[in-house]
Amino acid sequence: MSAKSLRLPVLPPEVETMTLKDGTRLDADVYRPAVPGPYPVLLQRQAYSRRIACSICYAHPSWYASHGYIVVVQDVRGRGTSEGIFRPGETEIEDGAEAVEWAARLDGANGEVGMYGFSYQAYNQLLAAAGDCPSLKALAPAMGPWHPAHWAYENGALQMKHMIGWGIQITAEAARRAGDDEAFSALQAAGTNLPLSGPIAAMPQLLQKYRHYSHVMDWLETPPDSPYWDRISPLAHLDAIRARHLPMLFVGGWFDPFLPATVESFRAVAGSCDHTRLIVGPWIHFPWTRKVGAVDFGREAERNVDIDHIRFFDRILKRASGPAEDRPIELFDMGLKTWRQHQDLPESTQALFLGGTGRASLDVQDGTLGVRPSQEEDVEHIVHDPWRPAPTVGGYYGAPTGPVDRRAADERGDVVTFTTRALEDAIEVVGEPEVELELSCDRPSFDLCCILSLITSDERVLQISSGYAHYRTAMTGRYKLKLATTCVTLRKGERLRLSIAGADYPAYPVNPGTGEDPVSTPRTHAVVTTIAVWHGPSRPSQLRLPVGPGPEIRPG
């Protein structure tokens, strides 16, 4: 497929424009094979300049064109050289549908269009699929949002580092388009050193100053339960998307912040078409390489997603014959460092109960995870101090991102840890872990950060899943929190650890503990908050671990 002898010569890109129904001009680069067609079209609608074309993780558009496609990379409204104002999601259904039909009629096109791209370019594909565009025949969304309320928030907690970092980038581009050199320079500098030290961390004064350039402050001022999010959400148009029966190829990463959205969107549409697949590798948002965080996942992690795309589009848009399709789900096993196929994500779970003597915040040997509840009632205390909140380490938002050794974080006094004994057999963990915790709190509100890690034979503590939630109203009782989907085989002798804290800063804003909104509340309002984690026969706290077929964790 990728042999040079099988590829076509490609013409230099031509700039072609279309005019939307409302009169807005959109510009695109069009790459065509030098050999006369007709050809199907691959359309990518870019929010970061069409010349970038997702080349930070995909082959250049000319490479795709050399495989017998007309490739169109278009600047969306208000970005690159296209006219208009960029407001994420607000016009993407109509704009995307019009762009698909325009691309289908280009010289040399055969009238059939597939879309590809990652991040925002995945999101606008899904919105276009809800529009009136009969020429759209397939999608390949990678690492993109599904429901924008969950893009901005995770279980009610603002994804602050993500939103502020992205917001600064978006605002800087708008300032550049306006010729505002001062604003652009200030924003560009802030992009490498996020301005979170003001009176309200989640509302940087720099973004307030230049709010007229972008949507960012509007988003920060919009609560997660606002109906606004539904208006820009593919999820809200699920019935229309499913009715299209479009083949889709989803790509995700275990350490990408859009992992939950990628899995959720795949599950939502998979039943509508037999040709819908999901691939999840051991990757961060970009690049997609074998070395992630502190781990080298080996040669198999260097997957050629471009070839995955060509095979997918050839099968759908060219009716190409080939080997029978694999199972619809391919997951990279982070323990065995190899790809594994699944028909569906396993639903079986094993309960592991939290135990300890009350010193799990001070001694990482004290807190236990076992197959039986503790025989004695006890409680562990998380004392969250807003002056020194528990830090973000690895995962989606750390520096570096990915799996890094979090031993130092686990040894902090404001983090409680619960660890299994060394495993007697290899255990396959695949699916969505969930914690069920018996909690009480001495303040009106609190946040909860849960990190699931494997402890290697050389004592490194490497994250494999995580979850975060903001609880505006604290009540004594049982709390359930789903963690992100994962796939890892734990080897004999390794251990599993659950770490719990009251913060994950700066990934999320510090909860002041007063019941006020962490997004808009000054730092001076924050108070020390104590969270009690109960365990024992009458108040069992547990981790529900998704396990594949085979051995489970044995009693110690």
Side-chain angles (χ1 to χ4, degrees), residues 120-182:
Y120 191 87
Q121 292 70 231
Y123 169 62
N124 65 29
Q125 290 178 58
L126 294 164
L127 286 173
D132 182 13
C133 49
S135 300
L136 183 62
K137 303 300 181 183
L139 303 182
M143 298 187 184
W146 175 237
H147 185 26
H150 302 161
W151 178 4
Y153 291 87
E154 179 179 351
N155 297 309
L158 177 72
Q159 299 190 72
M160 182 174 72
K161 187 176 181 182
H162 188 186
M163 284 293 103
I164 299 302
W166 183 63
I168 286 172
Q169 179 185 4
I170 293 296
T171 308
E173 169 61 9
R176 185 198 65 79
R177 283 169 54 93
D180 190 335
D181 294 338
E182 178 182 347

Side-chain angles (χ1 to χ4, degrees), residues 18 47 49 101 174 191 210 229 282 335 344 347 403 418 427 444 511 523 526 538:
M18 65 169 289
S49 171
E101 295 307 309
Y210 297 117
W229 302 111
D344 200 351
E347 296 183 356
F418 304 89
I427 304 295
N511 186 338
R523 297 172 184 269
S538 65

Side-chain angles (χ1 to χ4, degrees), residues 129-130 237-246 248 268-269 272-273:
H237 300 278
L238 177 58
D239 289 344
I241 295 171
R242 286 178 57 87
R244 301 288 301 276
H245 305 293
L246 291 172
M248 300 189 196
V269 303
S272 67
C273 180

Side-chain angles (χ1 to χ4, degrees), residues 58-132:
Y58 291 164
H60 191 268
S62 61
W63 182 91
Y64 280 83
S66 75
H67 286 80
Y69 291 92
I70 295 174
V71 180
V72 179
V73 186
Q74 181 184 69
D75 287 327
V76 301
R77 180 189 296 254
R79 305 293 286 175
T81 62
S82 289
E83 293 178 338
I85 297 173
F86 179 63
R87 298 283 299 183
E90 293 185 10
T91 62
E92 294 291 13
I93 293 178
E94 297 81 5
D95 291 1
E98 287 188 54
V100 166
E101 295 307 309
W102 170 78
R105 298 190 299 269
L106 288 171
D107 289 344
N110 70 359
E112 295 198 349
V113 179
M115 296 184 73
Y116 78 112
F118 95 111
S119 200
Y120 191 87
Q121 292 70 231
Y123 169 62
N124 65 29
Q125 290 178 58
L126 294 164
L127 286 173
D132 182 13

Side-chain angles (χ1 to χ4, degrees), residues 73 77 95 104 211-213 227 301 334 386 391 464 487 497 504 506 552:
V73 186
R77 180 189 296 254
D95 291 1
R211 68 175 300 157
H212 56 287
Y213 281 132
M334 292 183 282
I464 59 173
C487 179
R497 172 175 290 172
D504 186 15
E552 294 187 340

